[in-house]
Amino acid sequence: MFDLNSIFFIFFIAQFFIPLLQKRMLEVRRQAAIRAIEQSRHSRLITMIHRQETMSFLGFPIARYIDIEDSEDVLRAIRFTPPDMPIDLLLHTPGGLVLASVTVFVPHYAMSGGTLIALAADEIVMDQNAVLGPVDPQLGTAQSSFAAASVVKALSQPNPNRDDTTLILGDLAEKALRQVHASVRKLLLEHHTEAEAERIASALADGQWTHDYPLDVDQLQGLGIKVATELPRSVYDLMDFYPQATQRRPGVEYIPIPYPQRTPEPSKSER
C-alpha cells in the first residue's frame, strides 16, 4: 500500500505534468481545427491570436505562455503557400503588426495594427458584433503614450514657455501622422478610388477618434469599407482552443444549454 508520503509525491508529480499534457493536447486540437478549415476552404489558414495562457502548479502560476504569430512567422507561412492558393488570416489582436493578406476573419476584435492588416486584405469577414479600431499613431511608451494628433493640437496653442523636448515630440508627431496616413492610403488604393482612399485614411489615421474607439460593422460600412458578416462556424470553434487565462471566479456565469421557448399563457378572456 502507498503511504501518505507516496500519495503526496504522486500528487506533486501529477500537478507538474498534467498542465504540460493539457497544453500539448490543446495544441493538437488547434492544429486539427486549422487543418479542417483549410480543407473546407482550400486555403492556407494563418492565425494571429494574441491571448495569454497560464500554467499553474498547486494553484499558483509558474509560467505564462503567449501564442503570438509574429511577422516572421506570418511571412514564413506565406512563403510556404503556393502562389495560386488563397490565404485566410484569423485576427484577434489589440494591434502591433502590419502585414498584407487575402481574407481576414475577425471574430471579436482587431485593433490598431490589426486594423491595418484587415485594410490590406482582399476581403474582410467579421462577426456582426466584432470591431476594428482607428490606426492613428501613438507616441511614448506602453506606460505613458500620447496620440500624435493630440500632441500636434496642443502645440498649436500659443505658449512661449515650451521646452525643447516638447517641441521635438511635436515634430515627431507631425511626421508620424503623415507617415501613417500615407501608409493607410496606399493600402486602401488597392480596393478604393483615390478620393475614397483619402477620405477613409483621414478618418482612421488622423485622430478623429481615440485610439481605443471600437468601430463596428455598420460604422465601417458607413466609411465605405466593404465588410462581410458571414463568419464560418469553424472560426468560432477554433477560437475555443485559444482560451484566455482562467480566473478563480468567472466574471460571467450561465447554464450552457439552450432553453426551450416558453409558450405564452392564455389571457383571462381566452380561458
Side-chain angles (χ1 to χ4, degrees), residues 191-217:
H191 305 290
H192 297 83
T193 66
E194 289 192 8
E196 290 173 340
E198 179 65 28
R199 177 178 54 78
I200 298 171
S202 296
L204 295 178
D206 294 354
Q208 179 173 327
W209 300 286
T210 59
H211 194 63
D212 58 353
Y213 181 74
L215 296 169
D216 60 23
V217 172

Side-chain angles (χ1 to χ4, degrees), residues 153-164 166-167:
K153 184 175 182 179
L155 284 173
S156 66
Q157 306 301 317
N159 183 353
N161 299 318
R162 293 191 177 99
D163 56 23
D164 290 344
T166 303
L167 296 174

Side-chain angles (χ1 to χ4, degrees), residues 51-214:
R51 274 187 172 174
Q52 292 183 331
E53 299 170 2
T54 60
M55 293 174 57
S56 61
F57 173 66
L58 295 178
F60 298 96
I62 59 174
R64 299 175 72 95
Y65 291 84
I66 303 176
D67 289 288
I68 300 177
E69 295 286 347
D70 61 20
S71 58
E72 292 183 1
D73 288 335
V74 173
L75 291 173
R76 190 176 298 113
I78 293 173
R79 285 194 291 268
F80 285 158
T81 306
D84 58 346
M85 178 177 287
I87 293 176
D88 295 331
L89 180 59
L90 172 56
L91 286 181
H92 180 77
T93 175
L97 300 174
V98 182
L99 291 169
S101 61
V102 176
T103 298
V104 162
F105 294 127
V106 184
H108 302 298
Y109 62 82
M111 307 294 284
S112 187
T115 298
L116 282 175
I117 298 171
L119 293 176
D122 295 318
E123 182 181 16
I124 304 173
V125 185
M126 298 173 59
D127 180 88
Q128 186 62 50
N129 298 305
V131 297
L132 302 182
V135 297
D136 58 306
Q138 308 294 297
L139 303 178
T141 65
Q143 291 74 29
S144 177
S145 63
F146 303 96
S150 297
V151 173
V152 172
K153 184 175 182 179
L155 284 173
S156 66
Q157 306 301 317
N159 183 353
N161 299 318
R162 293 191 177 99
D163 56 23
D164 290 344
T165 301
T166 303
L167 296 174
I168 292 172
L169 184 64
D171 180 63
L172 290 173
E174 290 179 350
K175 292 176 181 176
L177 284 168
R178 288 197 302 269
Q179 291 166 186
V180 173
H181 181 104
S183 297
V184 174
R185 183 178 180 277
K186 182 178 180 180
L187 291 176
L188 292 167
L189 283 173
E190 293 290 330
H191 305 290
H192 297 83
T193 66
E194 289 192 8
E196 290 173 340
E198 179 65 28
R199 177 178 54 78
I200 298 171
S202 296
L204 295 178
D206 294 354
Q208 179 173 327
W209 300 286
T210 59
H211 194 63
D212 58 353
Y213 181 74

Side-chain angles (χ1 to χ4, degrees), residues 1-13:
M1 286 185 64
F2 290 110
D3 57 19
L4 186 59
N5 289 335
S6 298
I7 294 174
F8 180 78
F9 179 75
I10 294 173
F11 176 76
F12 183 89
I13 295 298

Side-chain angles (χ1 to χ4, degrees), residues 237-256:
D237 295 338
L238 178 58
M239 286 296 297
D240 290 340
F241 299 135
Y242 293 86
Q244 190 73 358
T246 57
Q247 303 174 359
R248 291 184 178 273
R249 183 187 65 79
V252 176
E253 296 182 85
Y254 65 97
I255 299 174

